[in-house]
Amino acid sequence: MGSPAIAILGTGSYTPSRILTNEELSQQVETSDEWIFSRTGIRERHIAAKDETTSHMAAAAARIAIADAGLTAADIDLIIVATVTPDMPMPSTACFVQAHLGVLSHAACFDLNAACSGFIYALDTAWAMLGSSRYRHALVIGAERMSTVVDWKDRTTCVLFGDGAGAVVLGPARGTAQIIGTKLYAEGAHAHLLCIPEKKCAPGEIAADAPQPPRTITMKGREIFKNAVREMEQAAREILDHHQIDAAAINCVIPHQANLRIIAAIGQHLNLPPERFFVNLERYGNTSAASIPLALDEARSTGRIKPGDTTLLIAFGAGLTYGSALVRW
Ligand code: ACO
């Protein structure tokens, strides 16, 4: 007997109420709405309040996804949070999410770091775990508080990122909806192109004696751009070939929302028109692991994804990691 069919049963998302526009940013660093929008497609981003942690945003998105699936928190027996901005190094943000959900469900909880590809990595992991039939309903969440790892004086990075969370509930397929496939990749040789360098300690030195520079994002933007286009195209082509699905049969592509020019280039390479891509980065910026589930939830709630549709998800991020997923609704 093969593995049981697993589907996305519900989606949810959450973004903080505080909106930071390009105009406001241009009063903090030397930039302009014109530069940011023409280079990236971003107009504004949401910024978490002081007490609005990654787990709070994740739990808010999760509650909506659980209700959308017609379940309660007690039905969830696995929680995976994809994030590079956990509440703390330990325990995992997923444990905090379980606590916020308020039900002592004893669901297994862990975090996963694959940067902006984190949601696809977590989806693949949860799909495999549910496919083993040892778990029944999983919460897969991408949640980020990027505002805490951005150097707000560095105009080359601070204009790009935003905060938010998106969640899906996976479970036994009802009807014909199901996850068709996933593909994960990484190129560690390019790890240095995009990172949050660790506090450095010399051998034998204890952390308290070492200088403590702030941990913020460093990025080689142009190289990331080129790799992103190449890798997302590869991730899309290989999953379509593997499942013998023509690109033209995809109703909606949900790419990682980093830069509109990256998305446009992928569309050209795959010979897909811009309207086939769902894009909301104008209002959120790059929310890292949250970007795809945030877009997925918006695409569903606005009717852009309908029952019976086939959706292609494509991600790339620090690592460099990249990956894709095919989902039937
Ligand atoms: N405002 C005004 N000018 C700026 C800004 C800014 N915010 N940022 C950079 N500039 C200047 C630069 O200093 C440079 O000036 P110079 O020519 O005098 O040296 C000029 O603009 C051009 O800079 P470039 O870096 O060449 O600009 P580019 O067109 O490549 O756009 C960008 C930069 C938007 C960062 C682009 O390279 C990009 O999007 N790269 C991909 C980044 C990305 O997606 N990162 C997220 C990865 S996902 C993850 O895992 C987190």
Side-chain angles (χ1 to χ4, degrees):
M1 213 176 82
S3 303
I6 304 298
I8 295 180
L9 306 179
T11 60
S13 59
Y14 174 85
T15 46
S17 57
R18 162 86 169 103
I19 292 172
L20 177 64
T21 63
N22 289 350
E23 291 295 350
E24 270 182 275
L25 256 181
S26 62
Q27 278 145 42
Q28 292 174 35
V29 284
E30 205 183 323
T31 189
S32 64
D33 175 54
E34 198 282 325
W35 192 97
I36 301 169
F37 186 69
S38 64
R39 294 296 225 281
T40 68
I42 300 166
R43 287 266 190 225
E44 58 191 34
R45 67 288 294 144
H46 292 242
I47 302 293
K50 263 197 179 128
D51 55 354
E52 211 167 16
T53 64
T54 299
S55 68
H56 282 112
M57 293 189 283
R63 281 187 199 99
I64 299 168
I66 292 169
D68 187 42
L71 300 171
T72 70
D75 296 312
I76 303 296
D77 52 8
L78 172 65
I79 303 176
I80 307 178
V81 177
T83 187
V84 295
T85 49
D87 289 11
M88 308 176 181
M90 69 174 191
S92 70
T93 305
C95 284
F96 286 117
V97 170
Q98 191 206 54
H100 296 323
L101 292 177
V103 178
L104 198 59
S105 65
H106 302 293
C109 290
F110 62 94
D111 289 359
L112 184 154
N113 177 346
C116 300
S117 309
F119 178 75
I120 301 285
Y121 268 66
L123 189 75
D124 173 278
T125 306
W127 182 39
M129 291 175 76
L130 266 57
S132 75
S133 298
R134 288 182 300 128
Y135 299 87
R136 192 162 168 82
H137 293 115
L139 257 176
V140 179
I141 306 172
E144 299 283 16
R145 200 175 171 199
M146 299 304 284
S147 57
T148 60
V149 290
V150 158
D151 177 352
W152 289 102
K153 294 192 186 73
D154 175 10
R155 68 176 184 175
T156 66
T157 51
C158 76
V159 302
L160 302 175
F161 297 97
D163 298 337
V168 303
V169 172
L170 298 190
R174 307 163 180 163
T176 55
Q178 65 171 293
I179 296 173
I180 300 168
T182 54
K183 257 188 160 313
L184 306 181
Y185 311 78
E187 265 182 42
H190 292 312
H192 62 284
L193 292 180
L194 177 55
C195 41
I196 303 175
E198 208 13 295
K199 293 168 191 164
K200 287 197 179 71
C201 283
E205 187 179 42
I206 57 166
D209 298 332
Q212 305 277 308
R215 295 198 300 159
T216 53
I217 293 173
T218 64
M219 180 181 77
K220 299 250 187 292
R222 286 205 171 175
E223 280 104 307
I224 289 288
F225 193 107
K226 283 184 257 168
N227 278 288
V229 173
R230 184 174 52 77
E231 292 168 349
M232 287 172 93
E233 182 190 351
Q234 180 193 348
R237 279 196 194 286
E238 291 187 357
I239 199 166
L240 290 169
D241 286 352
H242 183 82
H243 294 280
Q244 298 182 324
I245 294 177
D246 195 275
I250 300 298
N251 305 93
C252 180
V253 181
I254 302 203
H256 170 46
Q257 312 277 317
N259 185 315
L260 192 57
R261 291 188 298 143
I262 293 176
I263 296 170
I266 294 161
Q268 280 167 7
H269 293 194
L270 294 176
N271 206 16
L272 285 173
E275 47 292 1
R276 204 65 67 82
F277 288 76
F278 185 84
V279 178
N280 65 2
L281 63 83
E282 182 173 344
R283 285 173 288 121
Y284 301 110
N286 179 349
T287 56
S288 184
S291 106
I292 288 182
L294 196 57
L296 197 55
D297 184 49
E298 197 170 306
R300 274 190 77 230
S301 62
T302 56
R304 181 66 183 77
I305 294 177
K306 293 184 266 320
D309 280 1
T310 303
T311 304
L312 171 64
L313 315 178
I314 340 170
F316 81 94
L320 298 176
T321 54
Y322 51 116
S324 50
L326 276 170
V327 179
R328 185 168 313 120
W329 298 90

